[in-house]
Amino acid sequence: MPEKPKVAFYWCASCGGCEESVVDLAEEILGVVNAVDIVFWPVAMDFKKQDVEAISDGGILVSLINGAVRTSEQEEMAKLLRRKSALVVAYGSCAHMGGIPGLANQFDREQILRYVYEESPSTINELHTRPQTASPEGGHTLTLPEFRSMVRTLDQVIPVDYYLPGCPPVPRMLKAALDTLLSGNLPPKGTVLGPDTAMCEECPRKESKPADLAYTAFRRPHEVIIQPETCLLAQGVICMGPATRGGCGAQCVTGNMPCSGCFGPTSRVMDQGAKILSAIASSLSAKETEGIDRTLATIPDPVGTFYRYGLPGSLLRRKIADHN
Amino acid sequence: MPETNGHDAPRVGFYVCHCGHNIAGIVDVAEVARFAGTLPNVIVARDYKYMCSDPGQELIITDIREHRLNRIVVASCSPLLHEHTFRVATEKGGLNPFYFQMVNIREDVSWVTENHDAATHKALDLVRAAVRRVAHHRSLATKHVRIHPDVLVVGAGISGIHAALTLANAGKKVTLVEREPTIGGHMAMFDKTFPTLDCAACILTPKMSAVKNHPNITLWSYSEVSEVSGYVGSYTVKVKRKPRFVSEELCVGCMECIDACVYKEGKTPDEFNQGLSKRKPVYIPFPQATPQVVLIDPDTCIEFKSGRCKKTCVEKCDRNAIDFKQKEEIKEIQVGTIILATGFKTFDPKRIPYYGYGKYPNVYSSLEVERLVNASGPTGGDLVLRDGRHPKTVGIIHCVGSRDRNTNRWCSRTCCMYSLKLAHLLKEHSEAEVYNFYIDIRAAGKAYEEFYDKLLEENIHFIRGRVAEVTDWSARPEEEGKMIIRVEDTLIGVVRRVPVDMVVLAVGMEPQADSQDVRRMFNISCSTEGFFLERHPKLAPVDTFTDGIFIAGACQGPKDIPDSVAQAGAAAAQALSLIDAGEVELEPNTAYVVEESCSGCKSCLNICPYTAITRDETRQKAFINEALCKGCGTCVATCPSGAIRQNLFEDEQIFSEIEGLLQEKESVLTGGGAWRAPA
């Protein structure tokens, strides 16, 4: 019997939702297991780093890596898997664009550590102890991965062949992606494995969107009873749909919530947040500075709204703190 | 020669121009050429004294052929000046002209610094950016649109009349739209014109009749343009024709209905006479009004107010021209070009309360005085004041609502000269003592200074100083019953009190009250003060930023009759040159929708300042009309999914240019990130 192609799953800075989405393949996963040999999947199977190291370079057909890269350990594992794999897929929003963990790039390392280990309301730490990469303990040295200065997307750490977008990716797209990769009929490197038009295309509310939105104020989902059939933008709720790659089947909108942008921009767009901002800003009712400011003040968290999944991968990338 | 394929590896020819000393005096052009020669893809790099000269262009043409170049970069002056020149040279060499990129190292570099090193350094950065950018250029086709030969002229004052006649005499069909019941504009109200003292009506009314009778002119008076759509060569215009309640076809202007009106005397202030007389509900603005058709004012006509008038006017009209049921009509026309000659409004002197207009009956605006001294005016030319007296002293106050921080800062350009004219006419009509209170006498025009000299010999008094106040508070017995003009005479350095019987306020010229609405409707711009903005203040004074729309006369800024007529002729000539060319070439820097990428989200529909974007409702995709697109890029920036692109401003072109500029420093745009270059 010929050897089955080897597949690895790995997680970096992530929530576990991407792992969950693999399991969400449900009975389809049996087909996957039949077709491939899963050689590494820390969340589900008991393989160790040494097992990966033992595989010949390039011996894994594809590694699907989710999560953003924040620690030295994640970087090390990403590099190891890159060496061992013919193909690397950045799986899910965090690996693709930095994801929710990437919002930490609004703060520098010192701010984060100080807050988490000293200042947060639930912390009592009179000795100001902070995690150390190496600490002696009973004649041994305990080590921890290093907490790097910023969150990076997977492709800012290693070359990435393909991207599977979403927070998390939908099982249907994972299945299609695996089929494609196993078929050997590979798309061009760098392809995001999904449609390349904005989510609006598949949105059931598209036709209810007026051409002239003329915003006077924006409302967050909890501040308004969202009408189930009208375009969310027309209701003053920021929906990232126009600036977000489709493929999810308009899941959030169908669930009466706005698109929050997890599939990232289309291939033609460099900065998803900037794009939706420029579209929304073009539709403000006010024409003078004061009115514009008043309207925009109704968006309390612009970075979290427009760059929710993509700050590290955007042009903004991170905030460089001013310590003066 | 077959056109070079843009997919071949780029072979760039680079040229830096000395522009005599203009560039070479500051920028080290030899170094720029040497540096360019080291850049990737650059096959030839030269510096030359004048790239725009024939030998300069020949250099490009020969190099393209000899070195199989497929991209050209020239570092010289502003693209506005010579982009076309070099595109043509590129084309002559056998390349598509849009494989050319220009670098402005004159206006942007050598003219803005005296620091040689900094200038050369900046030039190198710009050159590196252009060389990187030009690799991404594509072959583009210039498009043409046909020009509809008919013309719309809006406003029938002297400018509109002159433009319409010029075009009509050239055989073009003109629709002339005028808001008022008669054409003629302000000029029809004037008594005489400076500096020749021609009677305004005598020189204007023949032109008015010519308009009315011209077979190529359709005159729609008492009408307003209500909607404009389309683009250069193909405008669709809707015109609202307000009801006169008198048939224009049937009325011959005998005016017997006016005599027959149940009102024995007029009760409504006469608009044409600036309210100095009264008119009836059925009226004609003035005897030579064109068209010679009366109209009925429904606000004052008894039939409209109560429905119970004896309608003596109807009885009297043997042509049955009166029609109380006439309705507003909307007409639609197709034209290729439009001339706006919508004129000005005079400054409202009530805005300067200390000059007493509206408070003292014998304070007049200059336009009122034009009517007062006019032989066909409300007093038949008799200079009689509102209180029935004849003035023995008159004071003319210049610059009312002009050259004034509190009102309008601009000079209205005509007030000095018409004040001189009115001074002459007032003296002629009344032998009164006439005082002019002026800041400066601006008599810059042919024979204007001579006219001023003549006035100085007519015993007209000139007091240099801005008037502080007009008051009736007398301080001396000789001031009793008079208005006193208080002014600092800056030539002798004393404050003077000049008692007069009549004050004339030389009011300035302002944009029409609805100039902003009109500008929006025709999609043109206004300068800060509200006058229509010309494309270039010196070199394109009657063009606007919207192709095919021209401006003439005082809607563009204060001007006198000769200047207005000159501009009207220029606007007509510009329209004619478009019409006779038959078609117009469109700059290909337009935006376009990549249809398969468009999600149909409608974000772009409302943001286009030129209304060039529509949505194909069956396919649910956006569509850009190239003829309307001006290449402003607003939709390109707005499209949230990057489905709109723009020729000559493609993302790869712009980003490679930025990367070229920043290359010496850290590259901020490359090195990962979610963005992938399109495959």
Side-chain angles (χ1 to χ4, degrees):
Chain A
M1 200 175 94
E3 210 177 306
K4 288 195 283 186
K6 294 185 171 67
V7 173
F9 294 97
Y10 190 68
W11 57 353
C12 295
S14 69
C15 66
C18 285
E19 312 289 339
E20 198 68 49
S21 74
V22 179
V23 182
D24 280 348
L25 282 170
E27 59 269 28
E28 299 256 25
I29 202 164
L30 299 173
V32 174
V33 171
N34 258 336
V36 304
D37 185 8
I38 300 177
V39 294
F40 190 52
W41 191 6
V43 80
M45 302 167 85
D46 190 16
F47 291 107
K48 302 288 188 231
K49 186 181 166 198
Q50 293 90 313
D51 299 315
V52 181
E53 283 169 337
I55 300 171
S56 60
D57 285 1
I60 301 173
L61 171 69
V62 53
S63 283
L64 296 113
I65 303 177
N66 69 69
V69 180
R70 164 63 96 169
T71 69
S72 56
E73 182 195 27
Q74 291 154 354
E75 180 174 341
E76 189 184 332
M77 287 306 294
K79 285 181 172 162
L80 173 63
L81 286 166
R82 175 70 270 185
R83 203 168 73 233
K84 299 294 173 188
S85 313
L87 299 171
V88 168
V89 174
Y91 186 90
S93 305
C94 299
H96 177 199
M97 307 178 292
I100 300 276
L103 287 170
N105 280 3
Q106 293 174 85
F107 314 94
D108 70 1
R109 176 170 51 191
E110 172 57 26
Q111 284 174 305
I112 293 170
L113 293 176
R114 192 169 60 228
Y115 183 80
V116 172
Y117 291 100
E118 296 172 27
E119 293 172 350
S120 80
S122 59
T123 301
I124 300 167
N125 180 5
E126 283 163 4
L127 297 173
H128 301 290
T129 309
R130 290 206 191 164
Q132 303 296 314
T133 50
S135 44
E137 183 67 45
H140 300 281
T141 301
L142 299 179
T143 59
L144 279 176
E146 189 191 340
F147 187 78
R148 291 275 157 80
S149 63
M150 62 171 167
V151 175
R152 285 177 293 170
T153 64
L154 189 60
D155 68 2
Q156 287 166 351
V157 178
I158 57 167
V160 167
D161 300 297
Y162 302 110
Y163 302 81
L164 206 55
C167 183
V170 291
R172 175 169 42 83
M173 285 172 67
L174 168 59
K175 179 70 174 40
L178 283 173
D179 289 349
T180 305
L181 298 179
L182 292 172
S183 76
N185 186 14
L186 298 175
K189 295 245 157 134
T191 301
V192 176
L193 302 171
D196 203 10
T197 45
M199 197 280 286
C200 294
E201 173 131 79
E202 55 196 26
C203 177
R205 308 187 190 203
K206 175 165 76 163
E207 289 311 296
S208 67
K209 186 185 179 198
D212 185 11
L213 290 159
Y215 297 113
T216 51
F218 295 99
R219 286 176 294 185
R220 297 157 80 193
H222 68 277
E223 295 172 327
V224 57
I225 294 174
I226 298 175
Q227 302 304 313
E229 273 158 15
T230 310
C231 171
L232 286 130
L233 286 163
Q235 301 182 53
V237 177
I238 289 176
C239 177
M240 293 286 286
T244 303
R245 185 187 288 269
C248 62
Q251 282 187 350
C252 294
V253 175
T254 309
N256 212 23
M257 283 293 281
C259 170
S260 54
C262 71
F263 270 50
T266 63
S267 66
R268 303 167 296 274
V269 171
M270 204 170 192
D271 191 305
Q272 184 185 18
K275 266 299 191 187
I276 190 75
L277 259 174
S278 108
I280 282 177
S282 307
S283 298
L284 299 190
S285 169
K287 300 287 173 238
E288 78 300 343
T289 315
E290 265 183 20
I292 292 169
D293 287 348
R294 229 180 359 259
T295 307
L296 292 182
T298 58
I299 305 173
D301 178 15
V303 175
T305 307
F306 302 116
Y307 291 92
R308 187 171 300 172
Y309 303 94
L311 185 57
S314 73
L315 284 174
L316 297 180
R317 211 153 171 182
R318 66 163 169 152
K319 184 171 175 182
I320 295 173
D322 181 3
H323 286 294
N324 301 321
Chain B
M1 180 185 278
E3 192 176 273
T4 311
N5 187 341
H7 296 296
D8 288 350
R11 295 175 62 83
V12 180
F14 173 82
Y15 306 86
V16 55
C17 178
H18 298 207
C19 195
H21 263 309
N22 274 305
I23 294 171
I26 300 286
V27 174
D28 182 348
V29 286
E31 170 59 15
V32 173
R34 189 204 61 76
F35 169 79
T38 67
L39 293 173
N41 302 329
V42 175
I43 307 296
V44 182
R46 304 182 194 278
D47 63 285
Y48 190 74
K49 205 144 186 94
Y50 289 106
M51 278 310 296
C52 62
S53 66
D54 281 350
Q57 296 180 53
E58 200 51 48
L59 216 53
I60 297 175
I61 297 167
T62 321
D63 281 349
I64 291 174
R65 292 180 180 149
E66 281 181 8
H67 298 277
R68 292 179 295 111
L69 301 179
N70 57 18
R71 300 287 191 283
I72 299 298
V73 174
V74 176
S76 56
C77 52
S78 154
L80 208 61
L81 220 59
H82 277 306
E83 187 171 51
H84 187 70
T85 313
F86 296 127
R87 278 182 181 169
V88 169
T90 306
E91 194 169 24
K92 278 189 186 154
L95 292 178
N96 181 281
F98 301 99
Y99 284 128
F100 166 75
Q101 175 66 19
M102 192 154 180
V103 188
N104 183 353
I105 57 165
R106 197 180 71 175
E107 283 85 339
D108 285 357
V109 179
S110 66
W111 279 0
V112 292
T113 182
E114 288 177 355
N115 182 332
H116 293 243
D117 287 344
T120 304
H121 191 85
K122 183 174 173 188
L124 299 184
D125 284 345
L126 292 169
V127 165
R128 195 195 303 109
V131 167
R132 284 185 74 127
R133 173 193 228 273
V134 80
H136 297 279
H137 277 209
R138 294 185 298 125
S139 169
L140 298 171
T142 313
K143 299 201 173 49
H144 297 83
V145 290
R146 217 180 60 78
I147 304 287
H148 192 293
D150 294 359
V151 188
L152 168 72
V153 178
V154 185
I158 183 58
S159 305
I161 289 173
H162 187 76
L165 283 173
T166 307
L167 290 159
N169 288 340
K172 308 304 171 200
K173 297 279 182 206
V174 180
T175 302
L176 178 59
V177 175
E178 168 58 49
R179 162 151 73 186
E180 300 297 329
T182 176
I183 64 171
H186 282 98
M187 186 177 171
M189 298 172 184
F190 299 158
D191 182 38
K192 291 189 173 153
T193 57
F194 60 78
T196 49
L197 297 175
D198 290 321
C199 144
C202 312
I203 55 176
L204 178 63
T205 51
K207 292 188 81 120
M208 290 165 60
S209 319
V211 163
K212 179 67 198 154
N213 298 324
H214 206 295
N216 287 337
I217 298 180
T218 305
L219 170 60
W220 285 341
S221 62
Y222 210 43
S223 303
E224 284 180 67
V225 175
S226 60
E227 205 181 305
V228 181
S229 59
Y231 45 87
V232 55
S234 175
Y235 287 106
T236 303
V237 181
K238 285 187 181 158
V239 180
K240 180 172 78 184
R241 304 217 58 203
K242 297 179 276 190
R244 302 174 89 102
F245 305 108
V246 173
S247 161
E248 240 177 81
E249 288 71 40
L250 297 175
C251 176
V252 290
C254 70
M255 302 189 225
E256 288 191 22
C257 53
I258 300 178
D259 292 333
C261 178
V262 294
Y263 279 104
K264 288 287 162 273
E265 296 293 328
K267 285 203 157 54
T268 311
D270 185 321
E271 295 86 354
F272 189 79
N273 278 335
Q274 300 299 301
L276 292 172
S277 63
K278 300 277 172 45
R279 62 158 174 81
K280 296 181 180 181
V282 56
Y283 69 104
I284 192 161
F286 64 104
Q288 298 92 350
T290 305
Q292 273 279 303
V293 177
V294 300
L295 72 158
I296 295 173
D297 170 10
D299 293 337
T300 52
C301 170
I302 293 180
E303 178 60 17
F304 278 98
K305 283 166 75 174
S306 68
R308 288 204 296 272
C309 183
K310 284 193 287 182
K311 291 184 271 194
T312 43
C313 56
V314 178
E315 280 169 26
K316 194 74 187 178
C317 182
D318 53 9
R319 298 178 60 85
N320 293 320
I322 295 178
D323 174 9
F324 289 112
K325 293 199 171 57
Q326 205 176 55
K327 290 271 178 299
E328 179 180 293
E329 263 186 286
I330 303 285
K331 300 266 194 188
E332 191 178 296
I333 54 168
Q334 297 289 328
V335 296
T337 47
I338 296 173
I339 295 175
L340 295 177
T342 51
F344 66 99
K345 87 174 163 53
T346 51
F347 175 80
D348 176 6
K350 285 204 182 91
R351 282 172 58 194
I352 307 181
Y354 41 88
Y355 285 170
Y357 183 84
K359 180 178 173 194
Y360 306 124
N362 294 338
V363 177
Y364 289 83
S365 80
S366 44
L367 202 51
E368 289 170 335
V369 178
E370 292 282 358
R371 297 309 301 152
L372 215 50
V373 294
N374 194 305
S376 62
T379 58
D382 184 16
L383 187 62
V384 56
L385 297 176
R386 286 194 176 95
D387 62 8
R389 289 187 296 136
H390 288 83
K392 293 196 175 56
T393 43
V394 182
I396 303 177
I397 302 177
H398 291 220
C399 299
V400 177
S402 303
R403 306 182 68 191
D404 178 3
R405 278 168 193 275
N406 300 315
T407 56
N408 299 324
R409 297 186 67 144
W410 60 86
C411 166
S412 291
R413 293 188 61 208
T414 53
C415 325
C416 281
M417 289 309 295
Y418 79 60
S419 294
L420 295 179
K421 172 195 76 179
L422 288 176
H424 170 87
L425 295 175
L426 287 165
K427 188 134 188 107
E428 191 177 79
H429 282 252
S430 66
E431 294 185 354
E433 290 295 317
V434 180
Y435 293 85
N436 273 279
F437 301 90
Y438 68 100
I439 306 176
D440 301 291
I441 293 290
R442 297 189 165 175
K446 193 170 178 181
Y448 289 9
E449 184 69 15
E450 294 90 321
F451 185 70
Y452 174 38
D453 285 343
K454 178 169 125 71
L455 267 279
L456 288 173
E457 286 163 17
E458 287 181 7
N459 277 330
I460 292 182
H461 309 286
F462 287 89
I463 295 175
R464 186 173 184 275
R466 182 185 273 287
V467 169
E469 184 187 29
V470 174
T471 177
D472 61 355
W473 184 74
S474 54
R476 293 191 293 262
E478 64 270 28
E479 293 176 355
E480 291 288 341
K482 294 195 182 255
M483 291 173 293
I484 299 97
I485 294 174
R486 295 183 58 220
V487 60
E488 182 188 353
D489 186 332
T490 57
L491 292 183
I492 55 173
V494 297
V495 174
R496 293 178 64 172
R497 294 171 61 88
V498 181
V500 296
D501 301 312
M502 178 186 196
V503 172
V504 180
L505 302 180
V507 290
M509 293 161 88
E510 286 188 331
Q512 290 276 21
D514 58 354
S515 68
Q516 290 292 343
D517 300 332
V518 173
R519 128 188 131 70
R520 267 184 221 108
M521 184 153 53
F522 290 93
N523 211 349
I524 61 168
S525 307
C526 281
S527 44
T528 46
E529 65 275 17
F531 291 110
F532 296 154
L533 187 65
E534 63 284 348
R535 194 178 197 121
H536 189 283
K538 295 173 185 68
L539 303 179
V542 299
D543 297 69
T544 66
F545 285 97
T546 302
D547 295 335
I549 298 190
F550 305 99
I551 49 178
C555 62
Q556 180 263 352
K559 53 181 64 67
D560 57 16
I561 295 167
D563 285 1
S564 296
V565 170
Q567 252 200 355
Q574 291 296 80
L576 280 173
S577 82
L578 268 184
I579 297 166
D580 285 354
E583 56 176 28
V584 64
E585 210 172 75
L586 297 178
E587 179 74 0
N589 64 350
T590 48
Y592 60 95
V593 177
V594 182
E595 202 179 284
E596 65 271 20
S597 306
C598 174
S599 73
C601 76
K602 310 185 201 175
S603 300
C604 56
L605 295 184
N606 232 41
I607 51 97
C608 177
Y610 307 98
T611 57
I613 311 180
T614 48
R615 189 168 185 257
D616 181 334
E617 292 300 336
T618 31
R619 286 184 298 174
Q620 303 188 347
K621 305 273 182 189
F623 169 78
I624 295 174
N625 184 331
E626 283 185 334
L628 280 174
C629 175
K630 291 274 169 298
C632 71
T634 307
C635 59
V636 185
T638 298
C639 176
S641 66
I644 304 183
R645 298 173 65 98
Q646 186 177 353
N647 289 324
L648 293 175
F649 293 93
E650 304 279 359
D651 280 0
E652 309 86 85
Q653 295 167 354
I654 295 174
F655 287 127
S656 61
E657 198 171 0
I658 296 173
E659 281 170 0
L661 271 178
L662 303 179
Q663 200 181 33
E664 265 189 328
K665 297 125 206 166
E666 186 191 359
S667 172
V668 295
L669 296 166
T670 48
W675 185 74
R676 316 268 151 264

